[in-house]
mmCIF file of all heavy atoms in Angstrom:
data_model
loop_
_atom_site.group_PDB
_atom_site.id
_atom_site.type_symbol
_atom_site.label_atom_id
_atom_site.label_comp_id
_atom_site.label_asym_id
_atom_site.label_seq_id
_atom_site.Cartn_x
_atom_site.Cartn_y
_atom_site.Cartn_z
ATOM 1 N N SER A 40 5.099 -28.840 -64.564
ATOM 2 C CA SER A 40 5.767 -29.623 -63.519
ATOM 3 C C SER A 40 5.539 -29.011 -62.157
ATOM 4 O O SER A 40 5.725 -27.820 -61.882
ATOM 5 C CB SER A 40 7.360 -29.573 -63.771
ATOM 6 O OG SER A 40 7.983 -30.172 -62.671
ATOM 7 N N ASN A 41 4.994 -29.756 -61.226
ATOM 8 C CA ASN A 41 4.705 -29.229 -59.847
ATOM 9 C C ASN A 41 5.741 -29.658 -58.866
ATOM 10 O O ASN A 41 5.493 -29.725 -57.647
ATOM 11 C CB ASN A 41 3.289 -29.710 -59.456
ATOM 12 C CG ASN A 41 3.090 -31.191 -59.389
ATOM 13 O OD1 ASN A 41 3.998 -31.913 -59.840
ATOM 14 N ND2 ASN A 41 2.048 -31.655 -58.868
ATOM 15 N N ALA A 42 6.977 -30.017 -59.342
ATOM 16 C CA ALA A 42 7.978 -30.430 -58.488
ATOM 17 C C ALA A 42 8.454 -29.235 -57.638
ATOM 18 O O ALA A 42 8.913 -29.409 -56.498
ATOM 19 C CB ALA A 42 9.171 -30.999 -59.254
ATOM 20 N N LEU A 43 8.518 -28.068 -58.152
ATOM 21 C CA LEU A 43 9.012 -26.930 -57.594
ATOM 22 C C LEU A 43 7.965 -25.847 -57.309
ATOM 23 O O LEU A 43 8.102 -24.892 -56.544
ATOM 24 C CB LEU A 43 10.226 -26.259 -58.247
ATOM 25 C CG LEU A 43 11.426 -27.179 -58.350
ATOM 26 C CD1 LEU A 43 12.503 -26.474 -59.236
ATOM 27 C CD2 LEU A 43 12.055 -27.589 -57.052
ATOM 28 N N THR A 44 6.920 -25.963 -58.124
ATOM 29 C CA THR A 44 5.735 -24.957 -58.088
ATOM 30 C C THR A 44 4.443 -25.629 -57.662
ATOM 31 O O THR A 44 4.138 -26.647 -58.367
ATOM 32 C CB THR A 44 5.634 -24.301 -59.468
ATOM 33 O OG1 THR A 44 6.790 -23.613 -59.837
ATOM 34 C CG2 THR A 44 4.504 -23.146 -59.390
ATOM 35 N N PRO A 45 3.771 -25.227 -56.671
ATOM 36 C CA PRO A 45 2.522 -25.893 -56.216
ATOM 37 C C PRO A 45 1.519 -25.896 -57.426
ATOM 38 O O PRO A 45 1.428 -24.915 -58.163
ATOM 39 C CB PRO A 45 2.061 -25.031 -55.057
ATOM 40 C CG PRO A 45 3.262 -24.302 -54.562
ATOM 41 C CD PRO A 45 4.140 -24.101 -55.794
ATOM 42 N N TRP A 46 0.791 -26.995 -57.456
ATOM 43 C CA TRP A 46 -0.193 -27.133 -58.605
ATOM 44 C C TRP A 46 -1.281 -25.981 -58.482
ATOM 45 O O TRP A 46 -1.727 -25.497 -59.526
ATOM 46 C CB TRP A 46 -0.927 -28.400 -58.523
ATOM 47 C CG TRP A 46 -1.927 -28.655 -59.597
ATOM 48 C CD1 TRP A 46 -3.274 -28.867 -59.395
ATOM 49 C CD2 TRP A 46 -1.728 -28.668 -60.952
ATOM 50 N NE1 TRP A 46 -3.916 -28.988 -60.646
ATOM 51 C CE2 TRP A 46 -2.979 -28.846 -61.674
ATOM 52 C CE3 TRP A 46 -0.613 -28.468 -61.847
ATOM 53 C CZ2 TRP A 46 -3.202 -28.959 -63.013
ATOM 54 C CZ3 TRP A 46 -0.722 -28.558 -63.110
ATOM 55 C CH2 TRP A 46 -1.960 -28.809 -63.752
ATOM 56 N N GLU A 47 -1.569 -25.511 -57.266
ATOM 57 C CA GLU A 47 -2.556 -24.469 -57.172
ATOM 58 C C GLU A 47 -2.079 -23.180 -57.824
ATOM 59 O O GLU A 47 -2.823 -22.421 -58.389
ATOM 60 C CB GLU A 47 -2.864 -24.184 -55.658
ATOM 61 C CG GLU A 47 -3.480 -25.321 -54.904
ATOM 62 C CD GLU A 47 -2.495 -26.402 -54.529
ATOM 63 O OE1 GLU A 47 -1.356 -26.213 -54.667
ATOM 64 O OE2 GLU A 47 -2.960 -27.563 -54.195
ATOM 65 N N VAL A 48 -0.846 -22.925 -57.799
ATOM 66 C CA VAL A 48 -0.267 -21.739 -58.406
ATOM 67 C C VAL A 48 -0.258 -21.959 -59.958
ATOM 68 O O VAL A 48 -0.572 -21.043 -60.687
ATOM 69 C CB VAL A 48 1.261 -21.506 -57.951
ATOM 70 C CG1 VAL A 48 1.933 -20.434 -58.815
ATOM 71 C CG2 VAL A 48 1.196 -21.234 -56.460
ATOM 72 N N ILE A 49 0.088 -23.119 -60.408
ATOM 73 C CA ILE A 49 0.003 -23.426 -61.881
ATOM 74 C C ILE A 49 -1.401 -23.277 -62.330
ATOM 75 O O ILE A 49 -1.595 -22.685 -63.477
ATOM 76 C CB ILE A 49 0.547 -24.862 -62.113
ATOM 77 C CG1 ILE A 49 2.041 -24.983 -61.705
ATOM 78 C CG2 ILE A 49 0.380 -25.163 -63.610
ATOM 79 C CD1 ILE A 49 2.545 -26.341 -61.759
ATOM 80 N N VAL A 50 -2.419 -23.683 -61.600
ATOM 81 C CA VAL A 50 -3.763 -23.572 -61.995
ATOM 82 C C VAL A 50 -4.072 -22.057 -62.301
ATOM 83 O O VAL A 50 -4.743 -21.707 -63.184
ATOM 84 C CB VAL A 50 -4.676 -24.177 -61.040
ATOM 85 C CG1 VAL A 50 -6.158 -23.777 -61.287
ATOM 86 C CG2 VAL A 50 -4.609 -25.717 -61.102
ATOM 87 N N LYS A 51 -3.726 -21.194 -61.312
ATOM 88 C CA LYS A 51 -4.008 -19.793 -61.540
ATOM 89 C C LYS A 51 -3.390 -19.187 -62.715
ATOM 90 O O LYS A 51 -3.967 -18.415 -63.477
ATOM 91 C CB LYS A 51 -3.381 -19.053 -60.244
ATOM 92 C CG LYS A 51 -4.150 -19.291 -58.956
ATOM 93 C CD LYS A 51 -3.510 -18.431 -57.815
ATOM 94 C CE LYS A 51 -4.266 -18.705 -56.495
ATOM 95 N NZ LYS A 51 -3.601 -17.982 -55.386
ATOM 96 N N ARG A 52 -2.170 -19.676 -63.045
ATOM 97 C CA ARG A 52 -1.497 -19.165 -64.216
ATOM 98 C C ARG A 52 -2.180 -19.667 -65.540
ATOM 99 O O ARG A 52 -2.278 -18.962 -66.510
ATOM 100 C CB ARG A 52 0.040 -19.549 -64.189
ATOM 101 C CG ARG A 52 0.713 -18.920 -63.042
ATOM 102 C CD ARG A 52 2.169 -19.473 -62.840
ATOM 103 N NE ARG A 52 2.756 -18.664 -61.800
ATOM 104 C CZ ARG A 52 3.970 -19.082 -61.251
ATOM 105 N NH1 ARG A 52 4.611 -20.095 -61.707
ATOM 106 N NH2 ARG A 52 4.522 -18.377 -60.216
ATOM 107 N N LEU A 53 -2.593 -20.946 -65.492
ATOM 108 C CA LEU A 53 -3.319 -21.455 -66.682
ATOM 109 C C LEU A 53 -4.592 -20.682 -66.903
ATOM 110 O O LEU A 53 -4.959 -20.386 -68.027
ATOM 111 C CB LEU A 53 -3.594 -22.946 -66.401
ATOM 112 C CG LEU A 53 -2.350 -23.903 -66.576
ATOM 113 C CD1 LEU A 53 -2.711 -25.219 -65.952
ATOM 114 C CD2 LEU A 53 -1.758 -23.937 -67.910
ATOM 115 N N LYS A 54 -5.361 -20.422 -65.749
ATOM 116 C CA LYS A 54 -6.635 -19.721 -65.942
ATOM 117 C C LYS A 54 -6.441 -18.263 -66.520
ATOM 118 O O LYS A 54 -7.119 -17.785 -67.376
ATOM 119 C CB LYS A 54 -7.301 -19.657 -64.532
ATOM 120 C CG LYS A 54 -7.853 -20.927 -64.050
ATOM 121 C CD LYS A 54 -8.633 -20.657 -62.759
ATOM 122 C CE LYS A 54 -9.357 -21.954 -62.317
ATOM 123 N NZ LYS A 54 -9.945 -21.852 -61.033
ATOM 124 N N ALA A 55 -5.316 -17.657 -66.045
ATOM 125 C CA ALA A 55 -4.989 -16.311 -66.533
ATOM 126 C C ALA A 55 -4.601 -16.406 -68.024
ATOM 127 O O ALA A 55 -5.093 -15.446 -68.834
ATOM 128 C CB ALA A 55 -3.825 -15.724 -65.731
ATOM 129 N N ALA A 56 -3.869 -17.358 -68.427
ATOM 130 C CA ALA A 56 -3.475 -17.528 -69.797
ATOM 131 C C ALA A 56 -4.729 -17.794 -70.695
ATOM 132 O O ALA A 56 -4.845 -17.198 -71.796
ATOM 133 C CB ALA A 56 -2.459 -18.718 -70.039
ATOM 134 N N ALA A 57 -5.601 -18.660 -70.268
ATOM 135 C CA ALA A 57 -6.809 -18.947 -71.049
ATOM 136 C C ALA A 57 -7.762 -17.786 -71.116
ATOM 137 O O ALA A 57 -8.160 -17.399 -72.224
ATOM 138 C CB ALA A 57 -7.524 -20.117 -70.433
ATOM 139 N N SER A 58 -7.950 -17.099 -69.999
ATOM 140 C CA SER A 58 -8.986 -15.957 -70.003
ATOM 141 C C SER A 58 -8.411 -14.779 -70.693
ATOM 142 O O SER A 58 -9.044 -13.917 -71.208
ATOM 143 C CB SER A 58 -9.348 -15.617 -68.551
ATOM 144 O OG SER A 58 -8.184 -15.132 -67.873
ATOM 145 N N GLY A 59 -6.987 -14.696 -70.772
ATOM 146 C CA GLY A 59 -6.375 -13.616 -71.444
ATOM 147 C C GLY A 59 -6.234 -13.724 -72.875
ATOM 148 O O GLY A 59 -5.735 -12.802 -73.606
ATOM 149 N N GLY A 60 -6.595 -14.826 -73.472
ATOM 150 C CA GLY A 60 -6.581 -15.080 -74.872
ATOM 151 C C GLY A 60 -5.165 -15.308 -75.458
ATOM 152 O O GLY A 60 -4.937 -15.159 -76.608
ATOM 153 N N PHE A 61 -4.216 -15.769 -74.581
ATOM 154 C CA PHE A 61 -2.904 -16.003 -75.008
ATOM 155 C C PHE A 61 -2.786 -17.345 -75.772
ATOM 156 O O PHE A 61 -3.403 -18.328 -75.324
ATOM 157 C CB PHE A 61 -1.894 -16.016 -73.829
ATOM 158 C CG PHE A 61 -1.740 -14.718 -73.226
ATOM 159 C CD1 PHE A 61 -2.441 -14.394 -72.030
ATOM 160 C CD2 PHE A 61 -0.766 -13.888 -73.634
ATOM 161 C CE1 PHE A 61 -2.216 -13.176 -71.396
ATOM 162 C CE2 PHE A 61 -0.523 -12.618 -72.984
ATOM 163 C CZ PHE A 61 -1.284 -12.260 -71.907
ATOM 164 N N VAL A 62 -1.974 -17.361 -76.782
ATOM 165 C CA VAL A 62 -1.503 -18.735 -77.255
ATOM 166 C C VAL A 62 -0.573 -19.211 -76.135
ATOM 167 O O VAL A 62 0.195 -18.444 -75.579
ATOM 168 C CB VAL A 62 -0.651 -18.560 -78.559
ATOM 169 C CG1 VAL A 62 0.001 -19.841 -78.901
ATOM 170 C CG2 VAL A 62 -1.588 -18.157 -79.695
ATOM 171 N N THR A 63 -0.706 -20.443 -75.683
ATOM 172 C CA THR A 63 0.010 -20.968 -74.554
ATOM 173 C C THR A 63 0.840 -22.135 -74.862
ATOM 174 O O THR A 63 0.390 -23.044 -75.505
ATOM 175 C CB THR A 63 -0.998 -21.360 -73.491
ATOM 176 O OG1 THR A 63 -1.853 -20.184 -73.054
ATOM 177 C CG2 THR A 63 -0.250 -21.716 -72.186
ATOM 178 N N VAL A 64 2.090 -22.097 -74.419
ATOM 179 C CA VAL A 64 3.042 -23.174 -74.635
ATOM 180 C C VAL A 64 3.203 -23.898 -73.261
ATOM 181 O O VAL A 64 3.434 -23.252 -72.298
ATOM 182 C CB VAL A 64 4.396 -22.759 -75.129
ATOM 183 C CG1 VAL A 64 5.340 -23.954 -75.469
ATOM 184 C CG2 VAL A 64 4.189 -21.800 -76.371
ATOM 185 N N LEU A 65 2.976 -25.218 -73.277
ATOM 186 C CA LEU A 65 3.089 -25.965 -72.062
ATOM 187 C C LEU A 65 4.389 -26.769 -72.064
ATOM 188 O O LEU A 65 4.619 -27.656 -72.961
ATOM 189 C CB LEU A 65 1.932 -26.944 -71.902
ATOM 190 C CG LEU A 65 0.550 -26.250 -71.851
ATOM 191 C CD1 LEU A 65 -0.572 -27.300 -71.710
ATOM 192 C CD2 LEU A 65 0.465 -25.251 -70.773
ATOM 193 N N TYR A 66 5.271 -26.538 -71.101
ATOM 194 C CA TYR A 66 6.512 -27.335 -70.902
ATOM 195 C C TYR A 66 6.139 -28.518 -69.941
ATOM 196 O O TYR A 66 5.277 -28.289 -69.026
ATOM 197 C CB TYR A 66 7.627 -26.463 -70.401
ATOM 198 C CG TYR A 66 8.342 -25.540 -71.359
ATOM 199 C CD1 TYR A 66 7.597 -25.053 -72.503
ATOM 200 C CD2 TYR A 66 9.581 -25.184 -71.242
ATOM 201 C CE1 TYR A 66 8.280 -24.188 -73.360
ATOM 202 C CE2 TYR A 66 10.294 -24.353 -72.154
ATOM 203 C CZ TYR A 66 9.551 -23.901 -73.195
ATOM 204 O OH TYR A 66 10.233 -23.098 -74.120
ATOM 205 N N ASN A 67 6.948 -29.522 -69.899
ATOM 206 C CA ASN A 67 6.863 -30.644 -68.959
ATOM 207 C C ASN A 67 5.384 -31.062 -68.926
ATOM 208 O O ASN A 67 4.784 -31.195 -67.774
ATOM 209 C CB ASN A 67 7.378 -30.235 -67.610
ATOM 210 C CG ASN A 67 8.783 -29.694 -67.716
ATOM 211 O OD1 ASN A 67 9.639 -30.314 -68.214
ATOM 212 N ND2 ASN A 67 8.917 -28.536 -67.121
ATOM 213 N N PRO A 68 4.692 -31.315 -69.956
ATOM 214 C CA PRO A 68 3.219 -31.592 -69.928
ATOM 215 C C PRO A 68 2.774 -32.831 -69.279
ATOM 216 O O PRO A 68 1.714 -33.002 -68.757
ATOM 217 C CB PRO A 68 2.847 -31.600 -71.401
ATOM 218 C CG PRO A 68 4.090 -32.071 -72.142
ATOM 219 C CD PRO A 68 5.234 -31.507 -71.356
ATOM 220 N N ARG A 69 3.572 -33.925 -69.345
ATOM 221 C CA ARG A 69 3.053 -35.223 -68.763
ATOM 222 C C ARG A 69 4.323 -36.110 -68.485
ATOM 223 O O ARG A 69 5.238 -36.151 -69.205
ATOM 224 C CB ARG A 69 2.195 -35.937 -69.853
ATOM 225 C CG ARG A 69 1.602 -37.245 -69.402
ATOM 226 C CD ARG A 69 0.734 -37.752 -70.546
ATOM 227 N NE ARG A 69 -0.542 -37.019 -70.597
ATOM 228 C CZ ARG A 69 -1.297 -37.025 -71.819
ATOM 229 N NH1 ARG A 69 -0.887 -37.628 -72.841
ATOM 230 N NH2 ARG A 69 -2.439 -36.432 -71.714
ATOM 231 N N SER A 70 4.190 -36.770 -67.367
ATOM 232 C CA SER A 70 5.272 -37.767 -66.989
ATOM 233 C C SER A 70 4.567 -38.884 -66.261
ATOM 234 O O SER A 70 3.364 -38.997 -66.063
ATOM 235 C CB SER A 70 6.219 -37.085 -65.948
ATOM 236 O OG SER A 70 5.593 -36.870 -64.723
#
């Protein structure tokens, strides 16, 4: 959800999760 968090910030976090090898849980995935 980018209602309160800028999408650019979310992208950074997704990249970190992916490159770090984390299992990742996505909340509020689609609306």
Side-chain angles (χ1 to χ4, degrees):
S40 174
N41 59 352
L43 299 175
T44 304
W46 179 243
E47 294 76 15
V48 174
I49 297 172
V50 167
K51 290 180 181 179
R52 293 171 180 172
L53 291 170
K54 288 182 177 179
S58 63
F61 290 96
V62 173
T63 304
V64 185
L65 301 180
Y66 283 30
N67 307 309
R69 184 178 283 158
S70 70

